[in-house]
Amino acid sequence: VVSTQSTGKCDSPSLERHIMLIETFTTYLVNTSYELKCEIGYHANSSLSAHCNGDGEWDMKGSCVIDTCGYAPNVSLSTNNGDSDPNHVYKYNDTVVYTCSNITEMDGTKRLFVKRVGIGHLRRSVREYA
């Protein structure tokens, strides 16, 4: 960032990946703090802050890390694409594909897609394949 001490402002901040300003401005005044947030699917691993110092330089703190959903839930009479690695932890926007076991009611050609959207959120959709 180029110092703009003589004008009493900072240039627009260079933000790390997945960090956003809550509100953008045309002018960033010295000795002023601005609020930051993480993009959807990410969370701050510490407090996020951006402060335009008196010398026109930015003091940035914190970073964003991807949300994890943990292990895929067990669905009876099925397997999923993560079963080959019992330690696999799913991250934001990963997809778990469940394939039904060969049972009387189903012939094993139907799949259930379970997609986690962030921590604790689960979206389900059923798609049939011939």
Side-chain angles (χ1 to χ4, degrees):
V1 175
V2 176
S3 177
T4 53
Q5 181 179 6
S6 60
T7 61
K9 64 179 184 173
C10 288
D11 291 333
S12 294
S14 295
L15 301 173
E16 284 187 27
R17 252 182 113 188
H18 311 297
I19 296 179
M20 305 170 13
L21 282 162
I22 289 180
E23 188 175 356
T24 56
F25 300 91
T26 55
T27 303
Y28 297 92
L29 302 175
V30 295
N31 299 318
T32 305
S33 293
Y34 296 90
E35 293 184 74
L36 301 173
K37 66 179 181 178
C38 296
E39 292 176 349
I40 293 173
Y42 294 80
H43 66 275
N45 65 352
S46 62
S47 295
L48 294 175
S49 65
H51 185 79
C52 176
N53 293 322
D55 62 1
E57 299 290 331
W58 285 100
D59 180 20
M60 309 291 276
K61 293 191 175 140
S63 62
C64 296
V65 294
I66 195 164
D67 289 335
T68 58
C69 303
Y71 303 107
N74 290 327
V75 175
S76 62
L77 301 174
S78 72
T79 58
N80 70 62
N81 60 328
D83 279 348
S84 61
D85 179 5
N87 297 317
H88 182 80
V89 175
Y90 291 88
K91 296 179 181 84
Y92 172 76
N93 229 12
D94 281 350
T95 299
V96 179
V97 180
Y98 288 90
T99 303
C100 297
S101 300
N102 204 6
I103 57 176
T104 307
E105 292 83 13
M106 294 183 174
D107 61 5
T109 60
K110 297 181 180 171
R111 290 179 167 183
L112 171 67
F113 287 80
V114 179
K115 188 169 190 174
R116 288 184 184 255
V117 185
I119 298 172
H121 300 285
L122 195 59
R123 180 175 58 202
R124 295 180 182 192
S125 61
V126 177
R127 296 186 182 125
E128 295 182 18
Y129 295 90

